[in-house]
Amino acid sequence: MLPFARVTIVGLGLIGSSLARAVRAAMPTVRLTGYDASADVRETVRALDLVDDVADTPGAAVIDADLVVLCVPVGAMGAVAADMAADLPADAVVSDVGSCKASVAAALRAALPGATIVPAHPVAGTEKSGPEAGFATLFRGRWCIVTPLEGGDPVAATRVADFWRRLGADVETMDPDHHDLVLAVTSHLPHLIAYTIVGTADDLEQVTQSEVIKFSAGGFRDFTRIAASDPTMWRDVFLSNRDAVLEMLGRFSEDLSQLQRAIRYGDGDALFDRFTRTRAIRRSIVDQGQDDAAADFGRRHD
Ligand SMILES: NC(=O)c1ccc[n+]([C@@H]2O[C@H](COP(=O)([O-])OP(=O)(O)OC[C@H]3O[C@@H](n4cnc5c(N)ncnc54)[C@H](O)[C@@H]3O)[C@@H](O)[C@H]2O)c1
Ligand SMILES: O=C(O)C(=O)C[C@]1(C(=O)O)C=C[C@@H](O)C=C1
C-alpha cells in the first residue's frame, strides 16, 4: 500500500518540481497538488503539467492532503506553515526538504501546534533553481535524512521514510542538531568556501572577468558551479544554521592556518600527508557509489 494517496507540494522550484516528477514516475496513482507563491512559477508548472492541480492559495493546496511537503527556502518555512494552518486536515502529515533541520522543526512546531510533523532532507540537488531545472531521478541513490521530532508520531516517520524510499532514496534517521552539524561540514561549509574563492578571484584587479572565464578549468570551474547556487536558499541556510557553521568555520580556519604555515616553512611532509589523507577519502566515496551524480548532471547541462 502506498504511504500517502494525496500529496501536496508547496514551493515548486528545483526540489519541489523534482519531487513532483519523481512521485509521478514512482507512484503514478498519487493525486498531486502544488502551490507556489510566484504566479510565474505556478504558470510554468501548469504548462509543464507537473501536478494534477495547481492551487492559487496555500489553504486550497492543503485542504484534502494526507502529506504536505514544504519545498521553500528554510527562512520561509514558518510563514508558509502559518498560511496553511487553518486549512490543514487534522490527520495530514507535514514534512519538508529544508537543508537545515533544527530551525525548521522549531518553526513548523510553532506555526502548526498539534500537527503531525516529520522533517526530512533529501541530500541531493544542483546549483540550478526553478521548476524547469527539476528532474525525476534527482533523489535516486541519494540519502534522505529524516529527523523525527521528540515525542513525534513514529508511524508517520515510517510512512515518510517509505515515501522517500519509493523515490529511490536511501533513508537515514538522525537527531536534528546532529544533522545540522554534519551538514555544516559536508554541504554548508563547501558552499561558503566556493562563494568566497569565486568572489576573491573576481575581486582581484589583475584577474578580470574575461580571464576568470578564459582560464577557468578543473578546480576553479568546479567551485564556480557551486558558487552559482541560489542566493536566497543559501542566505537562509547560513542564517538558520549559524552556530554549527561558525563551529565548523573555526575548525576549518585552524586547519587552513596549519597548511599556510606548512607552505611558508617549506614543510612538504605536512602537505603530502594531508593530500594523501584527502585523496583516500575521495576514493572511498567513489567506491561506496556515493559519487556526485547530480554534479555530473549539472556539468553535462552547463
Ligand atoms: N537546491 C538544492 O540543492 C537543495 C537540496 C536539498 C534541499 N534543498 C532545500 O529545498 C528547499 C527549496 O530549494 P530549491 O533549490 O528548490 O529552491 P528554488 O528557488 O528552486 O525553489 C523555491 C521555490 O519556493 C517558492 N517560494 C518561496 N517562498 C515561498 C512561500 N512563502 N510560499 C510558497 N512558495 C514560496 C519560490 O517561488 C520558488 O519557486 C530549500 O529549503 C532548500 O534548503 C535544496
Ligand atoms: O550538488 C549540488 O549542487 C549541491 O549543492 C547539493 C547539496 C549539497 O551540498 O550536496 C546542496 C544543498 C542540499 O541541502 C543538499 C545537497
Side-chain angles (χ1 to χ4, degrees):
M1 200 177 101
L2 291 176
F4 300 99
R6 294 178 308 281
V7 174
T8 292
I9 301 171
V10 179
L12 295 163
L14 169 73
I15 302 298
S17 74
S18 294
L19 187 56
R21 290 171 168 100
V23 170
R24 273 265 170 93
M27 295 175 264
T29 58
V30 164
R31 175 112 197 133
L32 266 179
T33 302
Y35 169 73
D36 196 285
S38 156
D40 285 349
V41 170
R42 296 201 298 272
E43 220 26 70
T44 304
V45 169
R46 281 192 185 103
L48 294 172
D49 191 25
L50 295 182
V51 296
D52 300 303
D53 289 306
V54 179
D56 286 320
T57 64
V62 303
I63 203 140
D64 63 354
D66 56 12
L67 172 68
V68 178
V69 190
L70 305 182
C71 303
V72 299
V74 290
M77 295 283 182
V80 173
D83 284 348
M84 68 189 207
D87 296 293
L88 187 71
D91 58 354
V93 174
V94 178
S95 188
D96 76 290
V97 296
S99 303
C100 324
K101 299 293 13 134
S103 62
V104 171
L108 296 186
R109 227 180 192 157
L112 302 169
T116 305
I117 299 166
V118 183
H121 175 205
V123 188
T126 74
E127 73 283 14
K128 308 222 166 78
S129 308
E132 276 140 335
F135 53 104
T137 55
L138 177 62
F139 311 111
R140 210 175 277 166
R142 309 304 299 270
W143 288 110
C144 180
I145 303 174
V146 177
T147 60
L149 302 186
E150 240 181 83
D153 178 351
V155 176
T158 305
R159 289 170 71 200
V160 170
D162 183 12
F163 175 76
W164 281 102
R165 281 196 191 97
R166 284 169 187 265
L167 304 181
D170 296 321
V171 175
E172 182 84 41
T173 299
M174 249 185 226
D175 164 78
D177 290 324
H178 186 65
H179 166 281
D180 289 355
L181 202 62
V182 171
L183 270 290
V185 72
T186 60
S187 175
H188 307 169
L189 197 57
H191 279 77
L192 197 66
I193 293 166
Y195 283 127
T196 310
I197 195 166
V198 175
T200 304
D202 191 40
D203 285 347
L204 283 177
E205 248 189 5
Q206 66 271 35
V207 182
T208 66
Q209 192 67 25
S210 62
E211 278 178 314
V212 167
I213 291 161
K214 187 169 158 193
F215 296 117
S216 77
F220 187 75
R221 195 175 152 79
D222 287 352
F223 277 119
T224 62
R225 186 187 78 77
I226 295 292
S229 299
D230 190 72
T232 304
M233 169 186 159
W234 285 100
R235 176 202 63 197
D236 285 10
V237 166
F238 290 115
L239 295 180
S240 301
N241 200 22
R242 190 184 71 157
D243 293 347
V245 169
L246 290 178
E247 163 70 21
M248 291 307 158
L249 196 53
R251 291 176 188 224
F252 174 78
S253 303
E254 285 172 21
D255 289 349
L256 192 61
S257 297
Q258 275 180 13
L259 289 182
Q260 190 177 11
R261 204 179 147 77
I263 293 167
R264 186 180 303 287
Y265 294 104
D267 186 350
D269 287 349
L271 297 174
F272 188 83
D273 287 352
R274 168 60 66 120
F275 301 159
T276 304
R277 220 173 97 200
T278 55
R279 178 178 248 193
I281 290 168
R282 168 70 186 174
R283 285 191 176 144
S284 72
I285 289 171
V286 173
D287 288 350
Q288 283 168 31
Q290 289 289 325
D291 192 12
D292 201 340
D296 293 341
F297 178 91
R299 270 184 222 112
R300 283 201 309 278
H301 288 74
D302 274 349

